[in-house]
Amino acid sequence: MPELPEVEKGARMLRAASAGRRIAVVRVLHPVYARSLPAADVDRLTGRTIVDVTRRGKHQLATLDDGSVLEIHFGMTGEWIVGSASDPVDRFARVILDFIDGSRITLADSRALGAARLHQPGADVLPDLGPEPLSPSFSADSLGDVLRRRRGPIKVALLDQGVVAGLGNIYAAEALWLARISPRARASSLSAARRTRLVRAIRDVLRRAPAARYTDRENGAQHWRVYDRAGKPCRRCGTRIARIIQGARSTYYCPKCQRA
DNA sequence: GGTCGCCTGGTA
DNA sequence: TACCAGGCGACC
């Protein structure tokens, strides 16, 4: 489930595999992806050279030599497969970029919830995205400014990419557990002290994610502190972890040591 | 603000 | 065979 740390890894892969390379062939292999990357954009991409790749929130941004930007979103199940143009096409390949040097990068996405979009030169890419959680512009004060206008619970607010960029369902739950804040707490009523704890917890969760192998399918789950642990004892106080639905999504939390 | 549905593989 | 996973846009 790609959240910020996984997308950062993806952006690095894309950069290593594509920066400085000229695109020979673009193939779009799924109707959902054809919607976000129509034939006209495939034509525009073909023959262009990828200059650099950056990440913003959960979005990967490949800048092309004409200033246009290819934006990739992994959705739930997106991942890169790096190889050569002679490789067999992956079962879940949705977009394939073949470069003139014979190398290839494939966007595989089993559930096809991701997207690829081409932004024209000079376009404002991702205008509604909130601050990067690991940047100084994200702070207890800035978070307070945004949350003040919110009516709903803090968990739902944290999943809003306009509040903070890059958090998903898992790390939002993990951060709230670390900060000892109930996911049901009203976003607008969080004290400055709790916002400080939350900002710290978000950074902590995101920073340690790669090292903790959060993303490893076999070993990841056992490292989660609260996510997917419904009915199991809280790692802090032993209380049974609760599962509730917020914004049509599962939320896991400790009803005792995460207070509203 | 809340809820639904896109998608499809994995699991009960 | 039904249901669940979830990022996110579309809807009420």
Side-chain angles (χ1 to χ4, degrees), chain A residues 241-253:
Chain A
I241 297 300
R243 174 179 177 267
I244 59 173
I245 302 297
Q246 292 180 299
R249 244 157 255 135
S250 289
T251 296
Y252 301 86
Y253 74 110

Side-chain angles (χ1 to χ4, degrees), chain A residues 32-105:
Chain A
V32 166
Y33 275 89
R35 231 178 285 156
S36 61
L37 193 67
D41 287 338
V42 169
D43 289 345
R44 288 189 186 100
L45 269 176
T46 306
R48 296 257 74 95
T49 296
I50 293 179
V51 173
D52 194 18
V53 177
T54 56
R55 179 198 57 76
R56 182 80 173 84
K58 300 177 193 172
H59 308 258
Q60 298 169 62
L61 304 173
T63 302
L64 300 157
D65 55 354
D66 65 346
S68 60
V69 173
L70 176 63
E71 175 208 346
I72 302 291
H73 196 292
F74 272 168
M76 241 308 278
T77 52
E79 59 181 339
W80 293 120
I81 299 171
V82 175
S84 81
S86 58
D87 290 343
V89 172
D90 184 83
R91 181 183 175 201
F92 299 120
R94 307 307 186 202
V95 177
I96 298 177
L97 300 181
D98 283 336
F99 299 98
I100 55 164
D101 67 356
S103 63
R104 162 183 291 177
I105 189 159

Side-chain angles (χ1 to χ4, degrees), chain A residues 165-203:
Chain A
L167 277 192
N169 199 41
I170 296 174
Y171 296 151
E174 296 288 285
L176 286 167
W177 182 88
L178 258 193
R180 301 180 188 234
I181 296 168
S182 168
R184 310 170 70 164
R186 278 179 71 97
S188 57
S189 67
L190 284 193
S191 67
R194 305 185 107 204
R195 293 196 309 269
T196 300
R197 288 213 311 268
L198 184 54
V199 166
R200 267 199 209 122
I202 288 169
R203 290 188 171 136

Side-chain angles (χ1 to χ4, degrees), chain A residues 177 226 229-234 239-243 252-255:
Chain A
W177 182 88
V226 67
R229 288 179 51 78
K232 294 178 180 158
C234 173
T239 304
R240 285 163 70 94
I241 297 300
R243 174 179 177 267
Y252 301 86
Y253 74 110
C254 174

